[in-house]
Each structure stands twice: as C-alpha cells, then as structure tokens.
Amino acid sequence: VPTGVICKAGPNVPDGATILVTCEDAAEGEKMSERLGGYAMVFNGEESEETMLAALNNASPRLVMLKPKSSEGRTFLARRFFAKLRQCESSVPAMLWYEYPKEEGKDQDDVVVNASADFGSLFVDGMGEGLLWDAEELSPDMLRESSFNLLQASRMRISKTEFISCPSCGRTLFNLQDTTAKIQERTGHLPGVRIAVMGCIVNGPGEMADADFGYVGSGVGKIDLYVKYDCVKRGIPSENAVEALVDLIKENGRWTEPADAEDVEAEVGAVAVL
C-alpha cells in the first residue's frame, strides 16, 4: 500500500493512494465512496461556510489543503479559512499550500523571508499542521532545509539542534563566530537540544532564554558552562571548553552519537521522496 502518495483521480491511481479533490467538486456531488487511501481536499479560501460543510460531509477527507488563488492578502484569507473550519467543527489536519513563482528582482533570500512570514505567522498561532511550499526559485535541497528550519522556528517540528547566540560586542571574550561553528560541528546532530553561545558574563546568562546548555565567556581565555540557568563549571580554559560542553551534555543524558554517513544519505533521500 503506498504511503504518503497524493494524486488526482484517474484510471492509473494505485490502491491506497490519497485522491486529491477540490472543495467545489466534493460539495456539488453526492457522498463519496470510502477508499483505503481516502481523500485530500483543496480549498482556495473563498468558499462559503455552507460549501465547506457540504464538501467535508461528502468526502470525509484525511486532510485539507489551503491553496489561495493569489498571494495578495493570503494571511488574512487563511485566518478566515481556519475560522470557518472551526465553525464546521472539523478537526481534520490542514496544510498550507502556497506558491512563490519567480519574480524579477527577487532572489532566494527574498522568497525565504516572504514565505517565513506567510507560514510562520499562522503556525505560531496554531493554524495549520504542515506546509506545501511551492517555490520555483529554490533548489530541492534549499527548499527542504528551509522547510525544516521554518517548522523548527515555529515550534512545529524539532529536527535538529537549536543554537542561541549573542550578536557580539566589545565585551566578547572570544571569537564568537569560530567558536559557534566548532560547537555546531560537534553538537549539530542533537534534535531538541538548545545550546546558547554567549560572549561575556555581563548579559550572557540573561540572554540565554530557555537554552538547555550555555557556553559563556567569563574571562580572557576562560569559559563558564551552564545547565539551564545554573552555572555548573567555571573557568574552563577555552581550548578545552568545547569538549567540556560535550561531556556536560553526556552527563545530562542528552547526547547521542552522530549517524553514519550512509544513514544520513538514506534519510536525506527519503525526505526528498516525501
């Protein structure tokens, strides 16, 4: 049975695939027959509450997708759509399907910033369970990475280590960029772990927010290590501090060994297929 396959209706649809239907088609017809893969219903956000309710009752979809006709005002459109969905007393998972065609004068960074605002402003308010990010400007690898970054920033799905760092200032007691890169290299494979890298003892502990572990400059060539807001190791020579941080993570039961290269390649391939 295919898993995660969504396709339009047709003669060659495999058993177990989820059939893609529009709200209008589902609302106008009779109750649709049950099938193993069920249905995924696409809305444009302009349907009336009555049309939505009829379509939901006729198809009983596994999930719904909001695909606006235009990028204009789609955040408002989405909020109105979710309000209507609640009025229909539907608990079916909803995905946001947004398109970002190529535009002259806009590059990949522009697309990522715009999409982060569009998706993120809804996710942080609990609207939507997933995204279908259709962007011509982004490569498949960048699109996949940006999607996971967006989900993590919205606290929708934690898939990697999260790093918190100060912007650096005259009080910074070590090379913040180089040190952060070293820490990322050693600890970037720990989903759900939050590590703060702070340049000095003055504001560092307060700026660590809700980090699980903190790496804070406490003097020239000296580092203090924190667990939450508690300083547990002081005055560690900076040349030994990264490994001391790794040891601290292990002591607190949050360490796992990095995956083998073959396992990473297999996982990336699976994500690309999905």
Side-chain angles (χ1 to χ4, degrees), residues 149-215:
N149 288 344
L150 197 158
L151 290 172
Q152 176 142 336
S154 303
R155 296 296 187 267
M156 294 278 292
R157 177 176 179 176
I158 306 301
S159 57
K160 58 184 178 181
T161 315
E162 185 167 344
F163 297 95
I164 303 165
S165 179
C166 65
S168 79
C169 68
R171 292 190 299 266
T172 302
L173 298 169
F174 55 85
N175 188 309
L176 193 65
Q177 289 76 21
D178 289 349
T179 301
T180 301
K182 291 177 182 178
I183 293 174
Q184 287 177 327
E185 183 179 0
R186 291 288 282 119
T187 64
H189 63 286
L190 304 173
V193 175
R194 287 166 291 194
I195 300 174
V197 184
M198 298 293 158
C200 75
I201 200 67
V202 178
N203 294 323
E207 293 176 353
M208 288 193 299
D210 55 352
D212 300 306
F213 301 95
Y215 181 108

Side-chain angles (χ1 to χ4, degrees), residues 33-66:
S33 60
E34 294 185 5
R35 56 186 316 281
L36 181 60
Y39 302 93
M41 187 175 297
V42 181
F43 296 81
N44 59 38
E46 299 176 10
E47 300 89 351
S48 67
E49 187 178 321
E50 292 75 16
T51 300
M52 291 176 61
L53 185 59
L56 291 168
N57 288 336
N58 284 345
S60 299
R62 297 179 62 185
L63 72 153
V64 299
M65 298 180 176
L66 174 62

Side-chain angles (χ1 to χ4, degrees), residues 226-261:
Y226 286 70
V227 176
K228 300 294 185 180
Y229 287 105
D230 297 325
C231 183
V232 296
K233 296 187 178 182
R234 297 181 184 274
I236 301 171
S238 57
E239 61 270 20
N240 303 325
V242 174
E243 290 305 315
L245 174 63
V246 171
D247 292 339
L248 183 62
I249 296 172
K250 291 179 179 178
E251 291 170 11
N252 284 268
R254 304 295 299 275
W255 180 263
T256 58
E257 293 299 329
D260 294 335

